[in-house]
């Protein structure tokens, strides 16, 4: 009730209320507009740009997309490797020595392939850790974009699968078999990408630049390559590194028999492909891959993933699984097989493990 002697006019009350609303609108319109703009920018418009990979809500990445860009990275790196070799502009130089005392070579092909592969993967998945054989020079940064297209064979065989970005480690080998590359033994050369989730290899890509053949596989997903269906137990074929053939041959014949065939080859990627059904004229075939010394993880991660996806195995010489986290080296040597009793193989090789740390 109004105070005695004062009468409130309905028209006056309406004007007062309108003035109050005007003041409130003036005070809060800027705030509301800002919140609306923030909301609109936070949600991608239909047909507009999406949230960059690796920075999505929750920090997840899609393994199918990561497989697609990994295949592209291996191919793009391979183009650089091939171009440098065919142009004979290797500029090879020693970058150090292996534990066995052999000189490790570094070429322009290694560096250009590494730059192309690293920045393609990093641009597509900026939140993912990438480990490479070669050092990345930030002063030589390159913008390599991915159009986010997924090849039809991957679409048909692989379903989208989100995993936390922090659980992913990508290992790239921009030029496997550099020594053979300098010797123009092109059949051994590969470029490789591996994706490990919580240390386990789940995606493997092995690309042969000089024949344009690419093998890829995803654990619990699919692949474009098959395992060999059978092998001859009487004359098993063991594939080993060219530099280690003498060290392995005597013990391999003692454990597998005198008819064992020893294949000396270059490149870890090539050796894994030897265990598979690969439609390549100059690809040798083997039943077991053995390495008896220290080896870097970017050399073996992709092959490990491919074998796991096809039901095969790659372990240390004592049968331990190889973790693709932490240090970049594997101290325990390796033995790889597919469609064989892997445990029985390991039990045959007690003497080889003694040399794996040298």
């Amino acid at each position: 009730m109004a105070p005695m002697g004062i009468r409130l006019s309905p028209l006056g009350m309406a004007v007062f209320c309108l003035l109050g609303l005007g003041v409130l609108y003036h005070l809060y319109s800027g705030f509301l507009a800002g919140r609306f703009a923030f909301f609109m920018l936070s949600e991608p418009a239909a047909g507009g740009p999406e949230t960059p990979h690796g920075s999505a809500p929750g920090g997840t990445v899609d393994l199918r997309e990561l497989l697609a860009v990994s295949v592209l990275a291996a191919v793009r790196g391979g183009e650089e490797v091939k171009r440098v070799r065919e142009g004979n502009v290797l500029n090879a130089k020693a970058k150090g020595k292996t534990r066995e005392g052999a000189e490790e070579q570094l070429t322009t092909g290694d560096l250009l392939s590494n730059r192309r592969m690293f920045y393609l993967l990093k641009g597509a998945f900026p939140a993912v850790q990438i480990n490479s054989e070669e050092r990345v020079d930030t002063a030589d940064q390159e913008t390599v974009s991915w159009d986010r297209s997924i090849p039809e064979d991957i679409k048909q065989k692989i379903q989208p699968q989100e995993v936390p970005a922090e659980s992913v480690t990508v290992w790239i080998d921009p030029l496997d078999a550099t020594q053979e590359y300098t010797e123009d033994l092109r059949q051994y050369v590969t470029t490789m990408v591996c994706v490990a989730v919580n240390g386990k290899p789940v995606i493997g890509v092995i690309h042969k630049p000089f024949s344009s053949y690419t093998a890829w596989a995803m654990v619990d997903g699919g692949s474009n390559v098959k395992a060999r269906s059978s092998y001859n137990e009487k004359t098993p074929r063991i594939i080993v590194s060219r530099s280690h053939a003498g060290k392995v041959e005597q013990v391999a014949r003692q454990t597998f028999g005198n008819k064992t065939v020893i294949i000396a080859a270059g490149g870890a990627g090539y050796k894994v492909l030897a265990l598979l059904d690969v439609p390549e004229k100059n690809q040798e075939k083997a039943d077991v891959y053995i390495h008896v010394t220290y080896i870097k993880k970017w050399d073996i991660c992709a092959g490990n993933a491919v074998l796991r996806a096809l039901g095969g195995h790659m372990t240390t010489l004592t049968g331990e699984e190889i973790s693709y986290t932490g240090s970049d080296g594997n101290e325990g040597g390796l033995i790889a097989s597919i469609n064989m009793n892997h445990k029985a193989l390991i039990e045959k090789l007690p003497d080889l493990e003694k040399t794996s740390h040298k």
Side-chain angles (χ1 to χ4, degrees), residues 151-305:
E152 285 302 317
D153 59 341
I154 293 178
K155 279 185 178 180
Q156 293 173 6
K157 296 179 180 180
I158 307 294
Q159 296 299 315
Q161 182 179 342
E162 297 283 337
V163 296
E166 64 269 19
S167 70
V168 175
T169 304
V170 177
W171 296 84
I172 62 176
D173 192 341
L175 201 170
D176 189 40
T178 299
Q179 181 61 45
E180 287 74 18
Y181 182 65
T182 63
E183 298 172 16
D184 209 16
L185 299 173
R186 305 183 183 194
Q187 71 271 25
Y188 297 128
V189 176
T190 62
T191 57
M192 296 187 286
V193 181
C194 176
V195 176
V197 178
N198 295 321
K200 296 182 179 181
V202 298
I203 290 174
V205 180
I206 305 174
H207 175 68
K208 300 183 76 172
F210 297 102
S211 65
S212 300
Y213 174 76
T214 306
W216 60 260
M218 178 171 163
V219 176
D220 297 328
S223 70
N224 72 339
V225 64
K226 297 179 180 179
R228 292 180 61 202
S229 57
S230 62
Y231 69 99
N232 190 334
E233 292 185 13
K234 295 182 179 180
T235 57
R237 300 171 65 85
I238 313 299
I239 194 164
V240 300
S241 295
R242 295 167 71 214
S243 57
H244 304 151
K247 184 179 294 186
V248 178
E249 183 171 0
Q250 183 177 357
V251 177
R253 292 190 189 282
Q254 289 175 353
T255 54
F256 292 101
N258 290 329
K259 293 184 178 181
T260 300
V261 177
I262 303 297
I263 303 170
Y270 178 89
K271 297 184 191 80
V272 168
L273 291 178
L275 305 181
L276 308 178
D277 185 12
V278 174
E280 288 276 286
K281 292 181 180 179
N282 59 357
Q283 176 67 61
E284 295 168 282
K285 302 296 182 182
D287 304 307
V288 181
Y289 166 27
I290 297 174
H291 189 88
V292 297
T293 61
Y294 175 86
I295 191 168
K296 293 297 183 68
K297 291 178 181 178
W298 43 66
D299 290 318
I300 59 176
C301 186
N304 198 340

